[in-house]
Amino acid sequence: MLAEKYAQEIQTILAKYPTDQRRSAVMALIYLAQRDKMFVDRKDMAEIGEILGISATEVASIVGFYSLYYDQPGGRYRLQVCTDLPCALRGAEQFLQELCHRLNIQPGGTTSDGLITVEPVMCLAACDKAPMFQVQSGAGLEYFENQTVESALSLVNQLRADAARRRGRNDND
Amino acid sequence: MTEKPYEYLLLRHRQIPELDNLEIYRQNGGFEAFEKAVKTMQPAQVTEFVKASGLRGRGGAGFPTGLKWAFIDNNNWPHYVTANADESEPGTFKDREIMERNPYQFLEGVALCAYAIQAHHAYIYLRGEFWQIAARLDQHIAALHAAGLLGEKLFGSDYSLQIHTHLGAGAYICGEETAMLESMEGKLGQPRLRPPFPPSFGLYGKPTVVNNVETLTNVPLIIAHGPEWYRTIGTEKSPGPKIFCLSGRVVRPGNYELPLGTTFRELIYEHGGGILEGRPIKAIMAAGASSSLIIANDQALDTPMDYENVPSVGGSLGSASVIVLDDTVSIPWLINKTIHFFKHESCGKCTPCREGTYWMQHLTERVAYGHASQQDVALLYDVASQMRGKCLCALGEFSIEAVISGIDRFRPDFDQTVQAPPVT
Ligand SMILES: Cc1cc2nc3c(=O)[nH]c(=O)nc-3n(C[C@H](O)[C@H](O)[C@H](O)COP(=O)(O)O)c2cc1C
Ligand code: SF4
Ligand code: FES
């Protein structure tokens, strides 16, 4: 349950808004719900609705409207390459193709270990530093700029090693 | 070029290391303007200063900032400030540099705006991708509270102010000010019908100023040095410094802070190092993906980049996101790119934009990647023309700019793809 798990954080979020405007917290609460598994399920939506006094359907429509929310499981990490116009003028499309080729997936696909989804996205406000991508995980978002396919692949290896270490830790629990 | 190095006014971190540290910012005059305003100026006087400075909004529309503040309805309370940090126009990356490297000047601008309209709560709406920036801003805001520069009864006055961050979640339309307000209210980020405008009906239906990050970052300068000083920079109708985001086929893409009225030529060739591989320049988009395509001839290159002159060469300055295209760029390919963007970002609220971008995308796909006929190009032009003036917000209008100007001004590119479609 979100309300117990993140009680403190939820209070901090709600405190930003007037007491009669709790609904403003919906975006932040969806991020919270997404933190562990990188998507939000119906149960989360219902609970968010309950906390804020809106319906689960309204929460679902907000999840559907914004591109950084997911209602389906995907890779634990989403490696999102900007291929919008300014980046495309500096080789971003070839970069995406080559990266996907080296990872044995199609753009939009997820690596066979289920860990990393690679997908093209629109401008990320880093147009002077192409090729670039962001990595979104439940914990947040990080930018990687002026990349090469090699530097991206070594990041992928690092993410895999991190995930393996975490799995090892969980197995020992 | 002058001997003296340019003294940065907005990107001051380029000359002052660690300006994102509050102590360093204060050692360099930081928060003196805010203290001076709260202690010695009436709120309306702050607005008068900004009016007199001639500052115009840097978010795209160029609306006079002081005038906007003066529109705030004083018969309806409370008032809010919302800083627009959505920065999602392709080719725009200036607000990010300000917030990452010179955050306190921006926050001081937010505080001055809030004081001017007597708002006690200000929100910063950041695009969701700026997750790390929001986390840093939260730390900066905490530092300001600890230093007594935000919070209750500031500088011994009765004035109190809180600033909060609010993260979006990936939607270009939320940069449109009324969509942003809807999004902040926890609703779908779709534009409102206007009027009423935010200064009378804004966040939670209350009078609200929405300003761009760069706009607000100018305000401490104006209060500290005065409107006359501010007007010595830039042009008569477009005073002040501006950050030009230079991207595309240039040697040195990046942010360049220059006075408004600097020519395209100086930006692209002097600062940007010219075109990659010394190739010929073909076209300029001055306002990101929302731009028309300006033919990059001598007349265009010698045009001053300000709000009044760019229209004379068939463009507009917008947020000054200058995308440079050389002779390797095919215009049918380019409009296919921009239409994909607008189709993806159309919020779907009104039919002309929702349907128009959908059909345009079908046609630009064909035109860019083969199998199009002259009729397809004509139909594309027709669909785009029919959208003009019929959309609920400017996104729909933006989407047709490159299409119409591309077909009008670069017809040979289209004739070529129609006759000899590229192999895909
Ligand atoms: C589709 C669309 C997207 C916009 N995106 C932004 C944006 O990312 N940042 C911004 O400051 N203004 C954006 N604007 C302009 C805002 O609606 C508004 O005019 C601006 O924030 C006002 O601030 P200013 O007067 O300081 O420029 C956008 C407008 C439209 C129609
Ligand atoms: S013009 Fe497009 S983005 Fe604007 S309200 Fe209509 S559908 Fe939404
Ligand atoms: S186009 Fe890629 S970051 Fe802007």
Side-chain angles (χ1 to χ4, degrees):
Chain A
M1 294 291 276
L2 299 171
E4 280 101 70
K5 188 161 177 193
Y6 299 114
Q8 193 57 48
E9 267 175 274
I10 293 175
Q11 280 321 310
T12 311
I13 292 165
L14 286 173
K16 291 184 179 185
Y17 308 101
T19 44
D20 58 345
Q21 302 288 350
R22 296 166 76 82
R23 174 177 189 143
S24 283
V26 66
M27 301 189 75
L29 294 193
I30 297 172
Y31 278 124
L32 269 189
Q34 203 166 266
R35 189 178 286 174
D36 278 341
K37 50 191 189 309
M38 261 302 268
F39 76 102
V40 248
D41 58 30
R42 295 297 304 187
K43 234 178 67 219
D44 300 322
M45 296 182 202
E47 204 196 334
I48 292 170
E50 214 166 288
I51 297 173
L52 301 178
I54 56 180
S55 72
T57 317
E58 285 175 289
V59 180
S61 74
I62 289 168
V63 171
F65 186 83
Y66 296 97
S67 66
L68 292 177
Y69 299 140
Y70 309 94
D71 59 6
Q72 299 291 325
R76 172 182 283 274
Y77 299 100
R78 286 183 181 261
L79 196 156
Q80 302 177 319
V81 180
C82 173
T83 57
D84 219 336
L85 177 62
C87 282
L89 291 168
R90 305 186 76 85
E93 289 177 324
Q94 293 88 312
F95 171 84
L96 173 69
Q97 290 302 333
E98 173 75 11
L99 179 62
C100 286
H101 177 74
R102 296 281 294 274
L103 290 171
N104 243 321
I105 54 175
Q106 293 292 321
T110 303
T111 52
S112 53
D113 55 9
L115 204 61
I116 293 154
T117 302
V118 181
E119 54 197 356
V121 292
M122 303 300 173
C123 180
L124 296 173
C127 328
D128 56 335
K129 303 195 176 68
M132 66 80 57
F133 55 82
Q134 67 180 359
V135 175
Q136 185 187 8
S137 69
L141 269 149
E142 208 178 331
Y143 273 42
F144 297 87
E145 303 176 315
N146 295 319
Q147 293 289 298
T148 61
V149 171
E150 296 311 320
S151 66
L153 287 171
S154 75
L155 175 75
V156 166
N157 286 334
Q158 194 193 315
L159 294 176
R160 282 179 165 150
D162 288 352
R165 218 174 13 237
R166 228 184 346 253
R167 255 199 315 277
R169 231 186 3 240
N170 287 349
D171 290 349
N172 294 338
D173 282 350
Chain B
M1 295 213 85
T2 46
E3 296 296 312
K4 205 166 89 116
Y6 178 79
E7 196 183 322
Y8 284 104
L9 299 169
L10 303 169
L11 303 175
R12 286 173 76 210
H13 55 274
R14 291 186 178 187
Q15 273 153 348
I16 307 170
E18 291 181 61
L19 199 56
D20 62 346
N21 173 322
L22 181 56
E23 273 319 300
I24 308 274
Y25 182 64
R26 293 187 80 179
Q27 282 162 20
N28 287 278
F31 278 88
E32 284 172 14
F34 184 50
E35 180 166 357
K36 168 174 130 183
V38 175
K39 280 186 169 163
T40 70
M41 293 170 79
Q42 292 298 318
Q45 245 179 313
V46 176
T47 301
E48 279 310 314
F49 262 52
V50 175
K51 244 193 201 168
S53 75
L55 171 63
R56 300 173 65 163
R58 305 301 198 228
F63 191 83
T65 306
L67 194 60
K68 182 185 283 188
W69 298 7
F71 283 155
I72 279 286
D73 179 358
N74 281 322
N75 295 315
N76 189 358
W77 297 86
H79 297 166
Y80 292 107
V81 173
T82 56
N84 191 340
D86 196 57
E87 191 159 69
S88 305
E89 177 70 41
T92 313
F93 43 89
K94 62 192 177 61
D95 299 337
R96 198 183 141 211
E97 180 169 349
I98 293 173
M99 291 187 291
E100 282 180 343
R101 308 290 304 283
N102 189 10
Y104 286 109
Q105 188 171 332
F106 160 56
L107 291 168
E108 187 174 4
V110 174
L112 283 162
C113 175
Y115 178 73
I117 64 160
Q118 291 291 292
H120 299 298
H121 289 272
Y123 293 92
I124 302 167
Y125 186 99
L126 300 109
R127 62 180 296 175
E129 292 83 354
F130 288 173
W131 185 86
Q132 284 178 308
I133 300 176
R136 290 285 291 144
L137 285 178
D138 284 340
Q139 292 170 1
H140 298 316
I141 290 166
L144 289 171
H145 277 277
L149 298 167
L150 281 181
E152 303 298 314
K153 301 207 183 297
L154 294 168
F155 313 112
S157 74
D158 275 341
Y159 183 67
S160 306
L161 175 64
Q162 311 264 353
I163 302 179
H164 315 278
T165 55
H166 182 109
L167 262 190
Y172 167 69
I173 189 58
C174 290
E176 194 282 333
E177 57 187 19
T178 60
M180 186 183 94
L181 297 171
E182 289 287 298
S183 176
M184 284 195 51
E185 292 181 2
K187 302 175 189 150
L188 295 188
Q190 293 182 317
R192 296 175 180 168
L193 268 175
R194 289 168 304 167
F197 293 94
S200 48
F201 189 92
L203 183 63
Y204 309 130
K206 297 298 174 187
T208 301
V209 163
V210 181
N211 271 136
N212 170 259
V213 170
E214 183 188 356
T215 310
L216 292 164
T217 305
N218 276 268
V219 175
L221 302 168
I222 295 165
I223 304 304
H225 307 295
E228 297 75 28
W229 167 85
Y230 189 80
R231 280 191 167 277
T232 62
I233 308 156
T235 71
E236 154 118 47
K237 288 187 182 140
S238 305
K242 178 81 191 80
I243 303 172
F244 295 91
C245 306
L246 182 63
S247 70
R249 307 282 303 159
V250 288
V251 175
R252 287 191 296 272
N255 282 322
Y256 294 93
E257 178 184 326
L258 300 163
L260 280 162
T262 304
T263 63
F264 283 109
R265 193 188 297 282
E266 181 182 332
L267 174 70
I268 294 167
Y269 287 92
E270 233 167 81
H271 303 287
I275 308 300
L276 286 168
E277 299 159 18
R279 302 193 72 94
I281 186 170
K282 178 171 180 173
I284 299 168
M285 300 177 86
S290 299
S291 311
S292 60
L293 291 155
I294 299 172
I295 301 170
N297 53 21
D298 281 337
Q299 187 206 346
L301 287 171
D302 290 322
T303 300
M305 296 182 290
D306 52 36
Y307 300 101
E308 61 274 23
N309 279 301
V310 180
S312 72
V313 287
S316 67
L317 186 63
S319 50
S321 313
V322 179
I323 307 174
V324 177
L325 311 166
D326 66 2
D327 66 336
T328 65
V329 179
S330 137
I331 303 302
W333 171 84
L334 179 142
I335 63 169
N336 184 45
K337 259 325 225 196
T338 61
I339 287 302
H340 268 78
F341 175 78
F342 289 111
K343 155 79 175 51
H344 186 261
E345 302 298 338
S346 168
C347 82
K349 184 166 176 170
C350 68
T351 315
C353 169
R354 187 184 59 240
E355 299 290 313
T357 53
Y358 174 83
W359 285 110
M360 284 197 293
Q361 177 170 303
H362 269 275
L363 292 161
T364 59
E365 282 268 328
R366 300 241 290 265
V367 172
Y369 293 115
H371 326 312
S373 62
Q374 287 290 2
Q375 281 92 321
D376 289 324
V377 178
L379 184 58
L380 173 61
Y381 194 84
D382 199 42
V383 173
S385 309
Q386 284 188 35
M387 285 172 67
R388 178 157 282 164
K390 297 204 186 68
C391 300
L392 179 64
C393 86
L395 185 147
E397 306 290 332
F398 291 164
S399 74
I400 64 175
E401 290 288 342
V403 174
I404 291 190
S405 61
I407 298 175
D408 276 344
R409 299 174 191 166
F410 296 92
R411 186 77 210 192
D413 279 38
F414 290 85
D415 293 342
Q416 212 176 2
T417 48
V418 166
Q419 279 152 19
V423 192
T424 41

